[in-house]
Each structure stands twice: as C-alpha cells, then as structure tokens.
Amino acid sequence: MQQLTWKVGGAQGEGIDSTGEILGTILNKMGYYTFAYRHFMSLIKGGHTNYKIRVSNQPVYYHGDQTDILIAFDQRTIDENKAELHQDSLVIYDSKFEPKRLEQFSSCGIPMSKIAEQLGNVIIKNMVAIGVTAAVLNLDPQLFYDMVEARFGSKGEKVVSMNKSAIQQGYDYYREQCEERHYNLPADKASEIPMLISGNEAAGFGALAGGCRFLAAYPITPATEIMYWLISHLPEYGGKVVQAEDEIAACLMAIGANYTGVRAMTSTSGPGFSLMQEAIGLAGIAEVPLVIVDVQRAGPATGMPTKTEQSDYNEMLYGSHGEIPRIVLVPATISECFYYMAEAFNLAEKYQCVVLVASDLFLGMSKQSVPKFDYNSIKVKRSGLISDSELATLEPGQFKRYALTDSGISPRSIPGQKNGTYVALSNEHDELGREEAEDPYNRVSQMQKRFRKLANFSPDEWGAKYYGPDQPDLLLIGCGSTYAQISEARVQLEQAGKKVAHLHLHILQPFPAAAVRPRIEAAGKCLVFDNNYTGQLRMLLQQEVGFHNKYETHNRYDGNPFTVSEIIARANEVLQ
Amino acid sequence: MSYKLTDYRGSRPTWCPGCGHFAVLGCLQQAAYQLGLPPESMVVVSGIGCSGKISQHFNSYGFHSLHGRSIPVATGIQISNPNLTVIAAGGDGDGYGIGLNHFIHAARRNVNITYIVMDNHIYSLTTGQYSPTSRKGFVSKTTPKGSAEMHLRPLEIALAAGASFVAQGFSGDVKQLTNLIKAAIEHKGFSHINVFSPCVTFNKINTFDWFRERIINLDQQEDYQPSDRLQALAKVMEADGVLTGIIYQEERKLFHNEIAGVKDQALTETPPALTQEQFEQLTAQYC
C-alpha cells in the first residue's frame, strides 16, 4: 500500500479544520483515497486542535499511527504530536516562534503568520500552509484556486485574491527558502473519483435515502452534524426538522411522527440517549417504529464530549425499564453508516420496534474517501400498513391494532384512515388497544407477541463478518469503528507469518450467535477490543455464546481510537 | 357526512363518580360533534394520570403517552400531518410538573394543537399528593403540615410564553367549556385551556363549590377584549387566576409552516424513496 500522512495543528479558531478540509477535498478530487481525523477540544478559541489526513492508493479506514508531514502553528502542536513523528518526518512550523524539542527531526520554519499579516489578515495563515503543503507534495497551487473561489467567492474578489496570494506565497517561500524536500503522493489512484464524506453526513444521507422525512433532535457533540445534514436536505424532499427543547421531547416528537406513518428519527449522543430511555420503552410497548442513532462519546455524564468511546452499548442493549424487543445495528465504516441508517428504517417499520444505530465520534466526525453509494442497494420497503379497503370491511371500532398474529406483527393504520381508529398506548393493552392490566393471560399473550416479532429476523447473515484463516491461533474480535485498525493489524500480522483472524460484529441485538459461536470455538485464543473500560463487547460475548475463559482483552478508554501498533503489540503478547 | 355524538364515544370511563373529568370528556365530544369533525381526522394525545385516560374514552385516533409528554408526541403528530386535528390533554401534575417545559416551548413555537389541562390541584391517581397548582398550605399525603410552595400560575405562564390562545373553563359549566373547546380547536395555533376539574375523592378543599363561589366569568364582562396580552395578564392577576372564558387570542404564524419545508403538507405526501436522479445529485456533491 502506498500512503502518506499529513497533519496540521494549532489553536482552535485558527482555521485548522478548513485547512484540512481543503486539502482533503482536493486530494479526493484528484482520485486518491483519503481518511481525515479531527482532534478537537470542547472550547471555541484556544487550546489545541489538529486535522490529520492519510492518503493512499486504496481505501483507508483509519488515519494511521504515524505522521509524515506536520504543520505546526504553535509549540503545543509539536509537543502533542511528537510521538507520531518518525525519522523521515518533516515538521513545518510558523517561524513566529522558536521551536523546541525538534532536534532529531527535519524541520523548516516558514513565516506563515507574517506572510498572512502582510497580505492583510493573519487568519489566512492557514492558506499559506496550504501553499506550503502544495510545494511539499509537488502539487500545482492552481489546483486549490477553484476551491478558494467556491469557498470565498461570496465574500468578494478582494478576499478571493488575498487567499490565492497566500497560497502562492506559501508555495513560493517553501520552494525558494527551504531545503528541497518533497513527498510523493501515491502513484495509483481510484478508477472513479470517490465520495469524501463523514460518518455523520453518511448517516444523514442514509436516513433520507431510507425514507426518513422527519427529524427531531437536540444539539449535542458529536451528533449535531447529522442534524445539520438533515436540516439542509429534508425540506427539499418534503420533510421537516425540529430542534427540540431537549432529548426527551426530541425522541417523543419522532415517536409522534412515526405514529402518523412518516419515517422519523432522532440523533443524539450519550447524555441525550440517557434522557430518551423512557420514550424508548413507550415506542416498544406502543409498537411505534423508531430509529435512533447514538454517536457515542466518552462518558459518563458530560465525560469527554470531544473524545471517542464505545461505552453506550449496554445502554442500547438494556436501556429503558421493562422489556422490549429491539434491534441494535453497529456500522463499522463510514459507508456502513449510510447503508445501515437506510436499512434501519425498513427494519423499524417491518418489526414496529426501536432500531438503535450505534455510531461513535471516531466514525461520525472522520471523513473518508469511499466508493460512490449504490442507489440499487437501497430499497424503501414499506410494510405492515393496513389498506383503506381492508379497514372498510371491518365493523366500526373493531380494528385490532395489536392483533395476536403468528408473526407477532400486527397491521398498522395511520391517522386519517377511516375505520382505523385506535389508541397507541404506554399501558399494557388488549388487541383492540384498550388498557388491560388485570388479565394475566392478556399480558402474557401481548408480551409474547411483541417478542415474537423478531423471531424471524436473523442477524447471522450480516451481523458478524469473518476475515482470515478458519482455524486461527488468535481471533481478534471487535465491533463498530474498531474495524479499521483491527483489519489493518490483522493484515500486518498475517504478513509477519501469524495465523490470525478477525471477527467483527455488526449487529448486537438480536445477537448473531449462530455466526459467532463456531468462530470462537475454532480459534486458539480470542482477543476482544473494547473502546471502553468494562469490556461491554466481551461481556456480551460471554453472555451470548459462552467460552467464558477464552477471552483476552484490550481496552482503551482515554478518549482516543485504537492504534494499529497497539493492536499488533497486544496480539503478539497474547500469541506468545 | 355528518356524525353522531355517539361516534366520539370510546371506552367507558373509569373515573370516580362525580369526577370533573366527565364534563371535560363530554364537552370535547360535544365540541367535535358540533364542529362535525370526522373521528379519523382527530388525534387525542394524553399523558399519564386520571386525566390521561381521556384518549381512551374519546373515539378518534389516540395516543396515551408518558407522564408529562403529551405535548411533544402531539407536536410530532401535528407537524407530520397538519390535516389532523390534534388535541393534547393531561392534568396539572402531568402538564405543569413533570412536563412544564414542553408546554412553554409549544406555546412560544405556536404549534397548532389544542392543549387541555384538567386542573384539580392534586395528584389523584397516586392517591393524593399536592401538585404544582396546589395552593400554599395545602395539606396532602406528602405535605402533612401543608404545602410550603407558592402555587404555579398556568395562565400567566401561557401568556408570558406567547400562547396565541389562552382560556380557562370549569367542569361545572359545560356550556361555556364546550364553547371554549370549540374556539380552541378552531383557533389556528397553540390553544391552551386550563380547566378547573375538581377531584371529588382526594381534594376536599378545591371542590365544585369552592370554584363556583370564586370564579369570575369573563363571558359576563362584555367590555373585556381578549386581544391585549398585557390586559389579559392584568385580568388574570387581579382574579388570582380564578376566572373563566377566553382570556387571550391573537393570530400568529404556525410553527409547522414557519420551519423549512412545504407548507401545510403531510410529510407522507412525498414518496419516501429518492429517484435515481435525486440520489446521484446528492452523491455528486461529495465527489
């Protein structure tokens, strides 16, 4: 694999993200595969933020352990990212400061702030950095000009030309003043220009493609971008978005909307998801379809809002009092954020239950060059809706919304349909939707009916995927966004002659036990990767398929995604 | 097609004999009947408590939701299908205790729903604890020495929050209450009706007679114009909140039309699947 990694860092408010966005977009447009990761803090100005891009000739799902080119606007950027540098790395720093602790690395000072100030505004030092980057990568600075016009055109010709000059001067300065050092971009490119999209954007797009026409949500990092996406797209396709007063209201508005036959959802992260728990139970007993995406962040409580974690699995699996059937989907890649969100709406409608989509900050806020989404893979499958003509054959008041059917799935009317009136209710009820708490037979039959609904849903087909030899010495097990690093580590371990396989879970509930059990049984040892402290995935495996003593673990809960090297190191430790 | 009054009859009420809520149910049925609303075009969304049962006793589409949460469910329904007549209903504990913030936000948004609160100044289904509208000193199971709290003033809150229709009724005056509910349903925007609906089992203070002796009826004040919010507030405060009639009404733009999207259109009207052309336009934005 040919690859190159680039990172820019500085204080928040210095245009770090837009620097990365511009470069990533250009590289993607050139046909390279990129992966971009944002490191940021929960403040608006100051602190430290960085934006990293890995570029390759094949799809990459992770930003890489190392950094080849580091552009530092301040000393903190050097200190915080030094560990990623290697002997061939290059550090380019703003010569407004005298860099420390850089001795063993090649470096080059460029007066980025000064050039920007001379052009009229220090803020455009990030465009100087773009010009420098173009010089280091042997790219024509003209490549960036269209983008400057698209981004700044509305601010007038003066702003556009200032930004162009910044790029050109950065480019010229590097070529004239710095030691001629260049990095090559990969020689091969994608056959078709990929899409550069974040997991959150992909989730929003997937929802729209899956037929969603209503979102109610409350702003929360790292899920808000899903809301942004749907606010800017749903109205165009006949949908609406409400920013609710809190997540309790958001979830209940989505339930109300679903009740009218619209495909509706809410998006949130941990703290908001906790507030939705009672409403999730309501959707469960009232049998209203509901899709929730939880872009997990490091908890508990406010925790670390800008850091990643996979610690809401237990809440998704068991949250809400009482017992309800539910589906928990866990996309592992940015493309899967799209396809799983779309499918979530089909499942929610088919089974008239809650479908939870477990994303996380790493997946949601990173951007990846992905193959174009496939229109033909998305099908909006309406189901379970009773027709007007069927209702017309019934006696008034005799529509059994909660009819005890073999499948457990009962036909659903929607408000406006004649002869279809019923009450959706949070109380236990009979087939007609009348409150019924005294008849134990009714309770048992309604409980069984609700849980029967998922009996025909088999998670085994796509709920667990397996890569590698059949009888491995070591089986790496993960779920969700850890796919990227585990799969890279597995390939490297394989190249090193190790007999290592990878089992990845994509559905946690209903649990794909039939697909998982034989794989664990066949493996010499198992190593479970949990981006949380308590080992929620490992505990689920123990509960669902047993083999209690077979699991070695590796947990990370410092707010960062796993690195490939730590996975390899841990795997080798277990293999010894 | 015209409807019979009995068309709006749902399951038989389980309230205590003499409960004020019978009148609220009856007036809601009368109002729907007089307005000729098809039962299938109505959705009654209720919270939890004695009052919450109203969605089951009224025949239409219904949603018996969670404690305090009738308004967000009703909001989701109303925005999704503006052709429906959406009634949210609950009690004082439900709407002014656990669910108070939704009330304020729905009022300021001007969501086109009618919100009926059956206010008996007590939690009854949990057998008698003081509620947010219980007066200071009110003795209940959780306030054996009398409530330490100043009571909540729902009409003042509704007015301050920007409700475009504010009224108060009394279960002891069904003619007025029916008219109020009709006016509220016909009003375009968020209509709040607080109804004094006495609990005959647990509240021995705020009885039918207690209200009857104190209520000031605005219908009998011909000079009162409910078009001035400031005057409405003054009127409510003068009467210490114990007055009935339409207190305030204004025309204001509707929430579901103010947010982005097609005006007055049910969200089910556009086909949920994208065309290939739409899909490809979207993917092209990322290439």
Side-chain angles (χ1 to χ4, degrees):
Chain A
M1 183 170 74
Q2 304 160 9
Q3 60 163 320
L4 185 71
T5 46
W6 171 96
K7 182 184 268 190
V8 60
Q12 295 200 167
E14 287 192 312
I16 300 300
D17 279 357
S18 51
T19 316
E21 296 258 329
I22 290 170
L23 180 63
T25 307
I26 293 294
L27 293 172
N28 184 76
K29 274 189 194 301
M30 291 173 74
Y32 294 112
Y33 288 105
T34 67
F35 187 96
Y37 179 69
R38 288 174 62 191
H39 170 103
F40 65 111
M41 293 166 65
S42 189
L43 48 79
I44 306 302
K45 302 265 181 203
H48 171 69
T49 182
N50 67 60
Y51 196 105
K52 183 173 181 182
I53 298 174
R54 185 183 184 195
V55 50
S56 176
N57 62 332
Q58 58 192 68
V60 273
Y61 300 87
Y62 163 59
H63 47 282
D65 291 0
Q66 296 189 321
T67 296
D68 299 321
I69 304 158
L70 176 66
I71 298 182
F73 285 153
D74 53 21
Q75 180 63 39
R76 190 167 174 187
T77 298
I78 295 170
D79 294 337
E80 298 238 356
N81 299 286
K82 210 173 144 187
E84 290 187 2
L85 300 175
H86 55 87
Q87 57 179 11
D88 296 322
S89 294
L90 170 67
V91 180
I92 293 159
Y93 58 90
D94 189 338
S95 46
K96 75 175 179 193
F97 70 96
E98 194 59 50
K100 296 182 211 61
R101 299 175 286 280
L102 259 188
E103 298 75 23
Q104 71 268 44
F105 303 105
S106 304
S107 64
C108 169
I110 298 203
M112 291 186 272
S113 294
K114 201 170 152 196
I115 292 172
E117 271 163 20
Q118 281 168 355
L119 285 167
N121 193 344
V122 71
I123 192 69
I124 60 167
K125 68 181 173 187
N126 64 341
M127 303 308 280
V128 181
I130 288 282
V132 173
T133 302
V136 176
L137 299 180
N138 278 326
L139 291 174
D140 183 349
Q142 301 271 346
L143 275 172
F144 295 89
Y145 286 3
D146 281 352
M147 182 139 233
V148 164
E149 283 182 16
R151 275 177 100 99
F152 303 109
S154 61
K155 294 183 179 173
E157 179 49 35
K158 201 177 154 203
V159 174
V160 170
S161 70
M162 190 166 85
N163 277 281
K164 284 182 183 170
S165 302
I167 292 173
Q168 189 64 46
Q169 290 193 26
Y171 181 82
D172 292 342
Y173 193 98
Y174 184 82
R175 291 182 77 94
E176 288 156 20
Q177 306 292 328
C178 291
E179 178 193 348
E180 271 293 296
R181 181 162 181 164
H182 299 287
Y183 287 79
N184 291 325
L185 285 165
D188 318 317
K189 298 179 186 177
S191 52
E192 186 189 35
I193 305 293
M195 293 171 67
L196 180 63
I197 193 164
S198 74
N200 282 338
E201 290 166 333
F205 188 177
L208 173 68
C212 175
R213 291 296 180 276
F214 181 83
L215 168 86
Y218 187 83
I220 187 167
T221 304
T224 317
E225 288 157 353
I226 296 176
M227 205 177 159
Y228 294 158
W229 200 94
L230 290 166
I231 285 169
S232 54
H233 292 92
L234 275 194
E236 208 182 316
Y237 299 93
K240 281 180 180 159
V241 175
V242 177
Q243 177 172 315
E245 56 270 32
D246 55 34
E247 287 91 345
I248 296 174
C251 192
L252 287 153
M253 286 179 190
I255 290 172
N258 270 303
Y259 171 76
T260 69
V262 176
R263 291 188 163 195
M265 67 175 281
T266 183
S267 52
T268 190
S269 184
F273 187 60
S274 293
L275 288 181
M276 295 176 183
Q277 294 304 318
E278 191 188 15
I280 288 170
L282 169 65
I285 191 167
E287 303 198 44
V288 178
L290 176 65
V291 174
I292 303 177
V293 52
D294 175 5
V295 187
Q296 300 167 89
R297 68 189 212 188
T302 307
M304 301 193 286
T306 60
K307 305 294 166 207
T308 200
E309 205 164 82
Q310 301 178 311
S311 52
D312 297 351
Y313 289 151
N314 282 346
E315 198 180 15
M316 285 184 244
L317 290 166
Y318 311 114
S320 198
H321 60 279
E323 298 161 303
I324 54 162
R326 68 183 84 197
I327 296 172
V328 180
L329 305 180
V330 194
T333 64
I334 286 171
S335 294
E336 283 181 1
C337 287
F338 172 79
Y339 292 109
Y340 283 28
M341 274 309 290
E343 186 58 16
F345 289 90
N346 286 332
L347 295 172
E349 180 160 333
K350 179 170 182 187
Y351 298 107
Q352 300 176 11
C353 74
V354 180
V355 178
L356 302 163
V357 180
S359 179
D360 62 30
L361 182 143
F362 173 42
L363 207 51
M365 296 193 70
S366 297
K367 276 193 175 182
Q368 190 195 359
S369 306
V370 300
K372 264 194 193 171
F373 296 151
D374 176 23
Y375 178 73
N376 294 315
S377 300
I378 302 290
K379 293 269 180 295
V380 175
K381 295 172 230 158
R382 303 290 331 231
S383 61
L385 297 169
I386 191 164
S387 67
D388 291 348
S389 53
E390 283 171 277
L391 284 170
T393 65
L394 300 175
E395 289 292 308
Q398 289 308 303
F399 170 57
K400 289 183 175 173
R401 169 65 186 94
Y402 301 105
L404 297 168
T405 58
D406 289 343
S407 64
I409 298 161
S410 326
R412 187 161 73 104
S413 62
I414 58 171
Q417 278 188 295
K418 232 172 139 48
N419 237 8
T421 58
Y422 75 99
V423 181
L425 67 180
S426 65
N427 302 62
E428 190 55 271
H429 42 261
D430 65 10
E431 290 182 278
L432 285 162
R434 295 176 303 204
E435 186 179 335
E436 177 50 70
E438 297 308 316
D439 178 0
Y441 173 78
N442 178 75
R443 163 66 173 183
V444 170
S445 50
Q446 284 292 330
M447 280 295 271
Q448 289 178 346
K449 163 200 152 32
R450 289 193 288 271
F451 278 92
R452 199 156 62 230
K453 289 191 290 188
L454 290 177
N456 290 329
F457 172 65
S458 167
D460 295 312
E461 267 171 61
W462 52 287
K465 290 177 189 158
Y466 188 82
Y467 313 87
D470 275 344
Q471 308 272 325
D473 295 330
L474 177 64
L475 179 61
L476 309 173
I477 307 174
C479 162
S481 66
T482 57
Y483 168 83
Q485 302 95 313
I486 297 175
S487 51
E488 276 192 39
R490 189 195 67 80
V491 170
Q492 289 186 36
L493 286 160
E494 194 176 67
Q495 284 163 355
K498 307 285 163 63
K499 204 174 168 194
V500 176
H502 172 194
L503 177 67
H504 211 76
L505 277 87
H506 298 252
I507 302 178
L508 295 183
Q509 179 68 34
F511 192 83
V516 169
R517 189 178 290 111
R519 296 301 188 182
I520 291 178
E521 197 164 19
K525 288 176 175 176
C526 293
L527 175 54
V528 185
F529 291 88
D530 260 304
N531 227 166
N532 57 58
Y533 180 90
T534 55
Q536 298 184 15
L537 175 58
R538 187 251 315 150
M539 289 189 284
L540 184 66
L541 289 164
Q542 288 173 326
Q543 174 185 315
E544 295 287 346
V545 295
F547 306 102
H548 285 72
N549 300 319
K550 206 166 181 176
Y551 307 102
E552 298 288 339
T553 57
H554 188 66
N555 298 37
R556 185 158 189 168
Y557 42 87
D558 64 351
N560 295 306
F562 288 105
T563 62
V564 173
S565 50
E566 77 177 298
I567 292 175
I568 292 173
R570 182 75 180 110
N572 282 324
E573 203 176 277
V574 173
L575 277 168
Q576 262 171 16
Chain B
M1 165 170 180
S2 62
Y3 297 91
K4 302 187 294 293
L5 186 57
T6 51
D7 290 338
Y8 304 96
R9 196 180 283 164
S11 66
R12 215 172 130 223
T14 52
W15 294 312
C16 305
C19 175
H21 297 357
F22 283 100
V24 179
L25 173 65
C27 293
L28 179 61
Q29 289 164 333
Q30 264 295 337
Y33 167 67
Q34 290 180 22
L35 293 171
L37 297 172
E40 66 270 15
S41 73
M42 297 182 73
V43 186
V44 176
V45 185
S46 62
I48 299 298
C50 295
S51 59
K53 311 220 175 205
I54 195 166
S55 57
Q56 297 189 40
H57 305 327
F58 186 90
N59 179 43
S60 68
Y61 280 90
F63 205 129
H64 192 167
S65 73
L66 298 172
H67 194 36
R69 311 302 171 201
S70 63
I71 287 180
V73 173
T75 301
I77 293 169
Q78 196 280 326
I79 294 169
S80 298
N81 190 350
N83 305 316
L84 300 169
T85 299
V86 184
I87 314 284
D92 42 313
D94 186 270
Y96 304 145
I98 189 166
L100 178 66
N101 69 328
H102 306 309
F103 168 50
I104 292 169
H105 293 289
R108 71 181 177 85
R109 287 179 182 131
N110 204 29
V111 182
N112 191 17
I113 61 176
T114 295
Y115 183 42
I116 302 172
V117 182
M118 289 159 254
D119 181 4
N120 53 18
H121 298 10
I122 194 165
Y123 286 88
S124 296
L125 198 56
T126 48
T127 70
Q129 300 81 26
Y130 80 107
S131 90
T133 50
S134 301
R135 300 264 164 157
K136 193 168 182 188
F138 184 76
V139 175
S140 73
K141 284 182 180 162
T142 48
T143 47
K145 293 184 177 168
S147 163
E149 300 173 19
M150 190 179 87
H151 68 283
L152 182 137
R153 296 165 161 84
L155 303 178
E156 291 169 42
I157 290 174
L159 288 165
S164 57
F165 180 100
V166 181
Q168 189 156 256
F170 173 41
S171 289
D173 186 346
V174 294
K175 195 172 165 204
Q176 182 193 39
L177 184 55
T178 301
N179 287 333
L180 291 176
I181 295 175
K182 273 168 66 182
I185 290 173
E186 287 190 300
H187 174 76
K188 298 262 177 259
F190 184 77
S191 316
H192 172 226
I193 311 180
N194 193 68
V195 183
F196 294 132
S197 181
C199 170
V200 294
T201 304
F202 294 107
N203 192 336
K204 304 297 184 194
I205 305 292
N206 311 104
T207 59
F208 276 94
D209 284 343
W210 188 91
F211 286 108
R212 215 168 262 131
E213 283 159 20
R214 288 168 175 78
I215 281 172
I216 296 166
N217 187 346
L218 289 178
D219 291 354
Q220 291 160 3
Q221 299 189 358
E222 275 170 22
D223 58 332
Y224 182 70
Q225 294 295 325
S227 54
D228 183 323
R229 197 179 288 271
L230 207 57
Q231 234 180 40
L233 201 54
K235 200 81 185 169
V236 170
M237 292 172 88
E238 270 166 35
D240 195 18
V242 191
L243 71 177
T244 56
I246 296 176
I247 291 153
Y248 181 72
Q249 185 167 13
E250 68 169 349
E251 261 184 50
R252 195 144 71 78
K253 287 183 176 169
L254 302 174
F255 181 60
H256 70 270
N257 286 336
E258 287 294 279
I259 55 175
V262 184
K263 287 197 194 321
D264 288 321
Q265 192 189 76
L267 307 185
T268 42
E269 272 179 41
T270 42
L274 297 175
T275 64
Q276 185 151 5
E277 194 189 348
Q278 289 171 328
F279 187 89
E280 275 163 15
Q281 274 170 1
L282 284 162
T283 54
Q285 291 173 12
Y286 295 90
C287 294

